[in-house]
Amino acid sequence: MAITTCIFDAYGTLFDVTAAARQAAQEPEFPHLIDHWAELANHWRLKQLQYTWLRAITNAHTDFWQVTQDGLDWAMEATGLSGDPQLRKRLLDLYWQLQAYEEVPEMLRTLKAAGLQTAILSNGSPKMLEGAVDSAGVGGLLDDVLSVEAVGVFKPAAQVYDLVETRFSCQRDEVLFISSNGWDAAGAAGYGFTTAWVNRGGEPMDRLPWTPHHVLSDLSSIPKLLGT
């Protein structure tokens, strides 16, 4: 069956999760971040993901904003920056204004012009996602923004992927799911979606029972992948 619906993960896929730390490091108030921002950003992202998995398997759900704060606190302590509440506040404020990757707007425009349905499916809370979409100016290019808060568990739980079929009344094999997280693309492949892993960092393939159907270096080739 032909693909009718393109579903995107948000953080790290459409929106650059390193942008908050990188921007703060360029601001005169935080010169001590210049040599540590990349390490901080990596720790922050990893802990953010680890906490979603741990909360999912222990039935201890909270929203992604709490997970984001918890991950940042761990990352700041790990990099010797935990005694700077001004920096913490600035980083959290910037997380609501993450930049979209440069290829995102044109890619989405091409998909919409071809008549495809487009949406976000994210661990992010609705308010966080609203802020990111508005900041990036891509709201008019998306048919919906779906959050795991509707089911109260984080990806890759099957209940999350169920949201796509419910919202768009489509079959699983009509969906192309795109994520920058290899485990997410693999999990969605196991669920029955066609998946593309946007492997921006050239990471090894995760050792899981399923693998993504496509591996891309960025999002610019998505329209070509679909023949649009």
Side-chain angles (χ1 to χ4, degrees), residues 58 73 113 146:
T58 57
D73 289 339
L146 307 175

Side-chain angles (χ1 to χ4, degrees), residues 60-77:
H61 185 73
T62 189
D63 71 19
F64 198 62
W65 182 235
Q66 183 63 54
V67 169
T68 298
Q69 294 177 78
D70 292 342
L72 176 59
D73 289 339
W74 191 98
M76 290 186 69
E77 183 173 347

Side-chain angles (χ1 to χ4, degrees), residues 148-187:
V148 301
E149 288 307 300
V151 291
V153 66
F154 292 113
K155 291 189 287 183
Q159 302 98 297
V160 177
Y161 303 124
D162 285 342
L163 292 171
V164 175
E165 290 182 282
T166 300
R167 166 60 180 83
F168 290 102
S169 301
C170 57
Q171 301 297 313
R172 295 182 188 186
D173 56 4
E174 294 179 272
V175 175
L176 175 66
F177 179 80
I178 305 102
S179 179
S180 63
N181 300 300
W183 56 268
D184 190 15

Side-chain angles (χ1 to χ4, degrees), residues 53-110:
W53 302 329
L54 288 168
R55 284 183 174 276
I57 64 174
T58 57
N59 296 313
H61 185 73
T62 189
D63 71 19
F64 198 62
W65 182 235
Q66 183 63 54
V67 169
T68 298
Q69 294 177 78
D70 292 342
L72 176 59
D73 289 339
W74 191 98
M76 290 186 69
E77 183 173 347
T79 52
L81 297 167
S82 57
D84 192 340
Q86 182 184 3
L87 174 60
R88 181 184 188 274
K89 181 180 185 304
R90 181 59 176 150
L91 288 167
L92 291 172
D93 287 346
L94 287 169
Y95 209 88
W96 290 76
Q97 307 165 34
L98 295 179
Q99 303 163 14
Y101 289 102
E102 61 180 359
E103 75 271 17
V104 168
E106 181 60 28
M107 179 272 301
L108 289 175
R109 278 193 291 268
T110 302

Side-chain angles (χ1 to χ4, degrees), residues 35-53:
D35 295 329
H36 301 286
W37 75 264
E39 182 185 12
L40 176 73
N42 288 336
H43 280 318
W44 189 2
R45 179 58 173 165
L46 180 58
K47 279 297 170 182
Q48 193 184 46
L49 293 174
Q50 288 177 344
Y51 290 156
T52 64
W53 302 329

